[in-house]
Amino acid sequence: MNLKFWIRLGEFAGISEQELRDQLEQELKIPRDGIVGCSWYKCAFYEQDGVIQTFRCTGCHNAMYCGPQCQDRDWKEGAHKAQCKDG
């Protein structure tokens, strides 16, 4: 089956692709149990529970970051590139 089929099926069922994308984006911003603070070990908010809003890595959805700077540094200088499925 191809993408056009799924898009048409969603339209037939009254499902908006944009609404689903927005919902997924919001769900990815919610930390999972056991993951707290920023994943970049040099960040001031490293493993600081509930101090900041964190965002998931869009590749593996496991690592959490306080912002794009920490995510970029962990990718380039840290170990996340080797751990992430997109690496």
Side-chain angles (χ1 to χ4, degrees), residues 8-78:
R8 285 190 208 134
L9 181 62
E11 290 170 352
F12 177 77
I15 300 170
S16 164
E17 179 183 359
Q18 189 59 49
E19 286 178 22
L20 289 174
R21 287 180 184 275
D22 292 344
Q23 181 181 358
L24 178 61
E25 183 178 325
Q26 291 303 314
E27 289 175 6
L28 293 176
K29 290 180 182 178
I30 300 170
R32 295 186 310 187
D33 293 338
I35 299 177
V36 295
C38 186
S39 295
W40 173 235
Y41 75 97
K42 291 185 179 180
C43 180
F45 300 109
Y46 177 66
E47 295 186 344
Q48 297 289 320
D49 187 19
V51 176
I52 55 163
Q53 181 179 10
T54 55
F55 302 90
R56 286 186 200 281
C57 167
T58 56
C60 66
H61 306 289
N62 291 321
M64 302 293 288
Y65 298 100
C66 62
Q69 297 86 359
C70 285
Q71 184 175 10
D72 187 56
R73 290 188 70 196
D74 195 21
W75 188 262
K76 292 177 180 175
E77 301 171 34

